[in-house]
């Protein structure tokens, strides 16, 4: 059985994860200041995997009191080492290129949807009517679904979720994009304080996700501004002096979302030469595949089943859903899952796994189908799946979705390991 050891490093959790044949750990980190806190790992037998250290931090969209951040934080090395010179002999250049193209195209679609939302909000500001409000809400729904399909590009400290280091290296835009839960009282207080600037830079400075959650930017703030706490906000809420401030705040949130998604498009743009995509396409192929596998697998095996579905099953979390104001939470998990599924099938990882282990590839394909069906069973109204009674059909559906996702993640991790790629899923 693979041996795992936990070491505490500062604010994160260091996971020692198996690879193949060395006497001391190979430490993968971006923050050398943590080095003095790392204890020496015991010597390994020559046939045992080489150990790699990854710092796991708080993450993602879900979880009580959470608002964003990178799960794998400082991990940079995804290659599992071996003493066998013939191991991991395959060509994944096409998969790496296809993955980079998929990420760029999905971010580009999100940015286009963000631009459409920005335009719809401008129309609402200019003329607050039932028609312009309805159009702005429809644009929000489109932007939300487009964004969710990018969530599989997190969890490896890429452009979206690279941790902040200093004022000169502030990190990725993830905390500004989609954090929740949103506290309506916080937003209402900002609207009521006429001395508070609603410039997009000013509201971005107010946004914090840790140690205290204070979400002031992102899609869910826009959702609250468009629908209100009860989901029935009238168009007249955007008229008059108070309505003008509401429209200004909404416009700043959407402009910030446009700017941030535009930066992510640029980071993954082709033929630039010095952006993140260029670095991925030029690195060792297993390090590049590690980004695709970890982003997809952490989302499938940790973020959706544990921090979203699983957390909502507890009685204390009876109001725990991502999109309560628009009442569209039932589509959220399915959209995020669809983004992860695209990574596996549209990047050609399925063919790569099949060439290595056809039986495992077939199991993974069936696992995707099972998980998709289980998520589809969690349909509207989503409130049925918040703290459902023990033994109820709703609880059974939530538990089956969580099981299907985590089972699939285990198989994906095994497939990655057989390709010589490290995958770290918190709690797994």
């Amino acid at each position: 059985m693979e041996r795992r050891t936990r070491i505490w490093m500062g604010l994160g959790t260091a996971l020692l994860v198996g690879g193949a044949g060395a006497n001391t750990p190979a430490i993968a980190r971006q923050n050398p200041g943590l080095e003095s806190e790392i204890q020496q790992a015991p010597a390994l037998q020559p046939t045992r995997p080489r150990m790699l250290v990854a710092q796991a931090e708080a993450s993602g969209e879900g979880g009580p009191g959470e608002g964003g951040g990178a799960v794998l934080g400082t991990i940079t090395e995804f290659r599992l080492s071996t003493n066998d010179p013939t191991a991991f002999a395959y060509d994944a250049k096409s998969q790496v290129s296809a993955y980079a193209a998929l990420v760029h195209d999905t971010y580009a679609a999100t940015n286009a949807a963000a631009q459409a939302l920005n335009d719809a909000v401008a129309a609402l500001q200019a003329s607050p009517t039932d028609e312009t409000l309805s159009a702005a809400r429809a644009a929000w729904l489109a932007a939300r679904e487009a964004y969710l399909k990018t969530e599989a590009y997190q969890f490896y400290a890429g452009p979206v979720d690279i941790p902040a280091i200093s004022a000169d290296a502030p990190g990725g835009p993830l905390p500004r994009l989609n954090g929740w839960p949103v506290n309506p009282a916080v937003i209402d207080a900002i609207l009521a304080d006429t001395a508070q600037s609603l410039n997009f830079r000013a509201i971005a400075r107010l946004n914090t996700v840790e140690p205290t959650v204070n979400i002031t930017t992102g899609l869910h703030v826009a959702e609250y501004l468009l629908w209100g706490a009860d989901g029935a906000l009238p168009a007249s809420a955007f008229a008059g002096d108070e309505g003008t401030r509401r429209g200004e705040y909404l416009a700043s949130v959407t402009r910030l979302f446009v700017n941030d998604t535009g930066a992510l498009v640029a980071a993954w743009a082709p033929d630039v030469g010095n952006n993140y995509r260029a670095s991925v396409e030029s690195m060792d192929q297993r390090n590049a595949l590690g980004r695709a596998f970890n982003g997809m697998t952490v989302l499938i095996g940790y973020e959706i089943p544990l921090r979203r579905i699983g957390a909502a099953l507890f009685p204390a979390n009876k109001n725990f859903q991502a999109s309560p104001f628009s009442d569209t939470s039932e589509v959220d998990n399915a959209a995020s899952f669809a983004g992860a599924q695209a990574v596996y099938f549209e990047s050609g990882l399925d063919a790569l796994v099949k060439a290595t282990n056809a039986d495992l590839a077939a199991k993974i394909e069936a696992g995707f189908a099972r998980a998709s069906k289980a998520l589809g069973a969690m349909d509207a109204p989503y409130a049925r799946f918040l703290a459902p009674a023990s033994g109820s059909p709703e609880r059974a559906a939530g538990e089956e979705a969580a099981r299907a996702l985590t089972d699939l993640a285990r198989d994906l991790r095994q497939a990655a390991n057989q390709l010589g790629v490290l995958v770290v899923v918190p709690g797994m």
Side-chain angles (χ1 to χ4, degrees):
M1 178 179 292
E2 180 182 273
R3 179 173 64 183
R4 293 173 182 246
T5 306
R6 290 183 183 269
I7 299 174
W8 296 102
M9 298 196 318
L11 297 177
T13 304
L15 302 179
L16 287 153
V17 186
N23 292 325
T24 58
I27 300 172
R29 69 168 78 83
Q30 290 179 330
N31 188 349
L34 297 174
E35 185 171 356
S36 62
E37 300 183 40
I38 300 177
Q39 303 171 11
Q40 182 70 23
L44 304 176
Q45 296 298 322
T47 56
R48 279 191 176 272
R50 175 169 295 175
M51 308 288 278
L52 297 168
V53 178
Q55 182 178 344
E57 299 176 348
S59 125
E61 177 177 290
E66 297 294 338
V71 165
L72 298 184
T74 57
I75 187 169
T76 58
E77 178 62 59
F78 292 99
R79 293 176 296 179
L80 296 178
S81 299
T82 177
N83 291 329
D84 181 358
T86 65
F88 314 140
Y90 57 85
D91 182 5
K93 183 177 180 180
S94 65
Q95 281 79 12
V96 172
S97 295
Y99 175 72
L102 174 66
V103 176
H104 171 264
D105 292 350
T106 313
Y107 275 133
T110 302
N111 183 250
Q115 294 277 6
L117 173 59
N118 195 57
D119 293 344
V121 167
L124 173 62
Q125 285 182 282
S127 178
T129 66
D130 291 344
E131 289 75 17
T132 55
L133 177 58
S134 178
R137 287 172 172 173
W140 182 89
L141 292 170
R144 167 75 171 150
E145 183 174 3
Y147 170 78
L148 287 170
K149 292 179 180 178
T150 72
E151 287 195 309
Y153 314 145
Q154 302 174 26
F155 314 122
Y156 52 79
V160 69
D161 62 353
I162 185 170
I165 299 174
S166 66
D168 294 328
L174 179 64
R176 296 191 297 270
L177 293 172
N178 195 47
W180 69 284
V182 169
N183 184 349
V186 170
I187 308 306
D188 289 343
I190 292 173
L191 291 172
D193 182 4
T194 56
Q196 171 61 55
S197 171
L198 296 177
N199 176 276
F200 74 93
R201 294 183 180 87
I203 62 170
R205 285 193 291 269
L206 296 175
N207 188 69
T208 58
V209 296
E210 54 184 37
T212 301
V213 177
N214 191 45
I215 306 300
T216 63
T217 70
L219 286 171
H220 292 297
V221 171
E223 179 194 11
Y224 174 71
L225 292 170
L226 282 167
W227 272 271
D230 62 359
L233 189 77
S236 59
F238 290 90
D241 291 343
E242 292 183 4
T244 297
R245 277 189 65 81
R246 190 180 199 94
E248 288 176 355
Y249 193 171
L250 178 60
S252 289
V253 169
T254 56
R255 179 182 174 186
L256 186 61
F257 189 69
V258 169
N259 291 351
D260 283 338
T261 55
L264 295 172
V265 174
W268 287 93
D271 305 320
V272 172
N274 62 349
N275 63 357
Y276 188 78
R277 176 175 180 164
S279 70
V280 169
E281 291 183 325
S282 64
M283 66 179 54
D284 177 273
Q285 65 177 8
R286 285 189 285 130
N287 271 333
L289 289 176
R291 286 151 172 79
F293 268 105
N294 275 278
M296 165 182 62
T297 308
V298 173
L299 182 65
I300 289 174
Y302 172 67
E303 180 71 16
I304 299 176
L306 299 184
R307 290 168 50 83
R308 301 182 191 180
I309 296 173
L313 296 179
F314 288 92
N317 296 330
K318 62 182 180 180
N319 297 317
F320 189 73
Q321 57 177 317
S323 303
F325 312 120
S326 61
D327 196 24
T328 57
S329 297
E330 70 277 358
V331 303
D332 293 345
N333 292 330
S336 297
F337 177 76
Q341 186 168 247
V343 170
Y344 187 74
F345 290 103
E346 294 182 29
S347 296
L349 297 182
D350 57 332
L352 197 61
V353 173
K354 187 175 182 179
T356 305
N357 188 329
D359 291 340
L360 181 56
K363 187 179 180 184
I364 289 172
E365 187 169 350
F368 271 107
R370 175 193 170 196
S372 181
K373 180 180 179 180
L375 287 171
M378 297 183 68
D379 55 3
Y382 193 80
R384 295 179 297 135
F385 305 101
L386 305 180
S390 178
S392 66
E394 289 78 16
R395 189 170 191 87
E399 290 176 350
E400 164 57 15
R403 277 194 301 268
L405 289 163
T406 53
D407 287 348
L408 173 59
R410 288 189 183 94
D411 291 336
L412 287 169
R413 183 180 63 180
Q414 181 183 352
N417 289 166
Q418 291 184 3
L419 291 166
V421 174
L422 169 69
V423 170
V424 180
V425 181
M428 183 178 289

